[in-house]
Amino acid sequence: MSEQPSKIEHLPIVSSSHLASEAAITLSEFEYALTMMNNAFQRWMQSCSSTTGMSELSPLDILVVHNIYHRNRPKRISDVAFTLNIDDLHTVSYSVRKLVKLALVESTRQGKDTFYNITQTGESFCNQYRDIREQCLVEALQHMKLNEKLGDVATLMRSLSGFYDQASRAVRSL
């Protein structure tokens, strides 16, 4: 009788073996996958933006312009930063100034606050981006039947972000 090939065990893939202790191997694997996902997502955003003719936008600029367009309501820089979970308001402020110079957003003053709205050019950019995203990404996800699972993954990732936020607060007290 011939021997059955042994089942291949799950081999974790990590980028920093010194962080992959026995207790933290799956966390290290997750963090490496998250890093790869983040870099691929940023590359995707810039490729999609370039296809619309806006190659000068950084991933943060793209997130900010879409957030300002979200629900077509005026937003303050602090609102955008809070929604995107960004602590450094200066990076969001720099991005908004860049978007104003490119005529994608415009500012209005209401009392002491400055609010930002999408312009017609910005709306056109966001809609072109959406159309390209539908064509290149959404259709592929539907074909692979991954669309249904993404909601569960998103919920898990938002929950995990809370753990990382709490760990950030804890480490600052060490």
Side-chain angles (χ1 to χ4, degrees), residues 5-100:
S6 63
K7 198 174 189 181
I8 296 176
E9 288 185 41
H10 172 78
L11 296 175
I13 300 170
V14 300
S15 66
S16 304
S17 60
H18 61 281
L19 298 176
S21 66
E22 192 174 316
I25 190 79
T26 56
L27 180 61
S28 294
E29 187 175 21
F30 168 77
E31 289 173 343
Y32 182 49
L34 184 61
T35 299
M36 292 176 60
M37 178 70 198
N38 180 55
N39 291 331
F41 179 58
Q42 288 188 15
R43 188 169 40 254
W44 153 254
M45 286 190 298
Q46 287 187 291
S47 296
C48 192
S49 181
S50 291
T51 302
T52 72
M54 290 298 224
S55 58
E56 60 269 71
L57 298 182
S58 71
L60 180 59
D61 300 333
I62 297 163
L63 291 172
V64 169
V65 73
H66 283 295
N67 185 268
I68 290 173
Y69 187 37
H70 177 63
R71 301 193 193 275
N72 211 11
R73 294 183 193 150
K75 294 174 185 71
R76 297 172 298 181
I77 288 173
S78 60
D79 299 327
V80 174
F82 178 78
T83 303
L84 296 176
N85 199 22
I86 298 171
D87 287 336
D88 189 355
L89 289 178
H90 298 291
T91 59
V92 177
S93 181
Y94 177 80
S95 181
V96 168
R97 284 194 308 273
K98 182 177 175 181
L99 296 170
V100 167

